[in-house]
Amino acid sequence: MNYHFLLISCLLLLGVTACSEEDSLVAEVDTMTNYFAPDPNATDEVSVLRRAFYTTEKSYLLFTDTLRREALGVDFNGDMQYLTETLDMGYTIGNSMSIQYKTYTYEYLQTLAEKEASVTFLKEYVLPHLPVSLRPFSWFPVYSIMDNTTYANFKALSGQRSIAVAVGYSVTDLSTEEKEQLASVVLSSTLGSAIQSKTKELTSFYEVCDGLYSEYFDTSDNPDYDPAINMQSLKKAGFIVQPSVWGYPITGKYPDKTLDTSSFTEFVLNNSQSEVESLYEGYPKVILKAQIMRELIKQLGYIY
């Protein structure tokens, strides 16, 4: 009996000691932010450009999707092993469809002049519309952006920690109109990302089409799957785009909330309320949703 009592006492003592040792552990410091910023000691021109951009615009500036690459040591074959962290643009907050496995290919800007030109574009055409509260954690200007699954090209891509912008091979050669068009796409992507997280504020917007999102509707009046007839049905229900798979439109299905929100964000940014009422005369639900979205964008602080 004494033996068992002594054994139990020793185990309890070890347990208390182990807990005390664990309690004294120091939490690991999260240094993720530093991976978005240039080395504070770097004096090269690109690092100076990135540092100055953050100082004035309060967003980080990236020219590569590799955030860090740290040597771990040599393996048994004598090869150096690295820990690499990249910018994961395939994860997006608020999307009702899982896109966690999407990957993208970027063509990086190569010269200092190109990088400076991309910054000038952002400062002149994009940032004046965005208060600090609406700006992303970082901007990532590149030549081009391609979806590795569908091979589709994007002008702008919104992720959790960055907005990637395809400025093309010579943004300085773009006309004012072309720059404004590109800025419109960038702003729509940026605002769309911000709005997606405003679930409470979007309640009245979603209520207009409540119960319809991602649902199928009757197509008996459209036996030939005419896209014009299909679009008319969508507009009557309060939608302005139709869902698609691999770039092919789906007939007889309403879009999900993400597509609906992003489409109205871009629509409102590019059309005045009077233009909306003219374009969608006879479709009161579309007009109402545009009014709600316009007011929400104003509340967020967007500068027209």
Side-chain angles (χ1 to χ4, degrees):
M1 179 68 69
N2 291 336
Y3 172 77
H4 290 111
F5 177 78
L6 180 61
L7 177 60
I8 293 172
S9 299
C10 290
L11 290 172
L12 289 173
L13 180 60
L14 287 172
V16 171
T17 302
C19 290
S20 299
E21 289 176 352
E22 288 179 2
D23 291 341
S24 64
L25 292 176
V26 178
E28 183 179 351
V29 178
D30 182 10
T31 58
M32 182 174 60
T33 298
N34 292 334
Y35 302 143
F36 285 80
D39 185 329
N41 298 315
T43 58
D44 62 280
E45 292 175 304
V46 172
S47 294
V48 171
L49 176 66
R50 293 175 61 203
R51 197 177 297 116
F53 184 86
Y54 180 81
T55 299
T56 59
E57 310 304 337
K58 306 308 176 187
S59 291
Y60 290 101
L61 181 65
L62 306 174
F63 293 114
T64 172
D65 62 332
T66 300
L67 298 176
R68 60 168 169 160
R69 189 168 186 264
E70 300 175 357
L72 296 176
V74 178
D75 64 12
F76 65 91
N77 288 322
D79 299 321
M80 180 62 73
Q81 298 300 302
Y82 296 91
L83 171 64
T84 302
E85 180 181 356
T86 59
L87 189 65
D88 183 8
M89 298 294 286
Y91 176 73
T92 305
I93 295 177
N95 199 329
S96 62
M97 297 179 64
S98 175
I99 58 171
Q100 295 184 14
Y101 301 105
K102 278 201 171 186
T103 59
Y104 302 88
T105 296
Y106 312 99
E107 284 187 273
Y108 301 143
L109 301 178
Q110 298 297 316
T111 68
L112 176 64
E114 291 169 338
K115 294 171 183 178
E116 290 175 333
S118 70
V119 169
T120 299
F121 164 75
L122 289 173
K123 287 187 174 183
E124 292 183 354
Y125 290 88
V126 176
L127 294 172
H129 297 283
L130 301 173
V132 173
S133 60
L134 281 179
R135 296 180 182 184
F137 189 70
S138 66
W139 295 96
F140 177 31
V142 293
Y143 287 137
S144 63
I145 307 166
M146 184 185 73
D147 185 323
N148 290 334
T149 303
T150 64
Y151 302 107
N153 289 296
F154 297 91
K155 290 295 184 182
L157 183 65
S158 175
Q160 184 183 11
R161 300 186 291 177
S162 191
I163 301 290
V165 181
V167 297
Y169 293 101
S170 184
V171 67
T172 55
D173 292 337
L174 296 180
S175 67
T176 299
E177 183 180 359
E178 289 171 328
K179 289 177 182 177
E180 289 175 345
Q181 290 173 350
L182 176 57
S184 176
V185 175
V186 175
L187 289 166
S188 297
S189 182
T190 305
L191 269 179
S193 179
I195 289 173
Q196 288 297 329
S197 63
K198 305 295 181 180
T199 306
K200 182 179 179 181
E201 291 84 348
L202 283 168
T203 300
S204 59
F205 177 84
Y206 291 144
E207 283 178 345
V208 179
C209 298
D210 188 36
L212 299 182
Y213 289 106
S214 299
E215 295 293 329
Y216 288 91
F217 58 86
D218 182 26
T219 58
S220 58
D221 63 338
N222 188 17
D224 297 325
Y225 299 104
D226 186 322
I229 297 176
N230 187 67
M231 196 65 231
Q232 187 175 24
S233 298
L234 289 170
K235 289 188 289 187
K236 286 180 180 179
F239 300 100
I240 57 175
V241 294
Q242 56 185 337
S244 62
V245 175
W246 290 82
Y248 295 97
I250 303 174
T251 302
K253 185 177 183 181
Y254 297 117
D256 62 16
K257 289 183 176 180
T258 298
L259 181 57
D260 189 37
T261 303
S262 61
S263 63
F264 268 91
T265 300
E266 184 174 1
F267 182 51
V268 166
L269 287 181
N270 291 290
N271 296 277
S272 66
Q273 190 59 31
S274 61
E275 289 173 328
V276 170
E277 293 171 0
S278 176
L279 289 168
Y280 286 88
E281 184 179 3
Y283 300 101
K285 289 186 177 181
V286 172
I287 294 173
L288 174 59
K289 287 172 69 178
Q291 291 174 333
I292 296 171
M293 181 59 71
R294 192 180 304 278
E295 184 58 32
L296 175 56
I297 289 174
K298 288 180 180 178
Q299 291 175 7
L300 290 175
Y302 181 80
I303 304 166
Y304 281 93

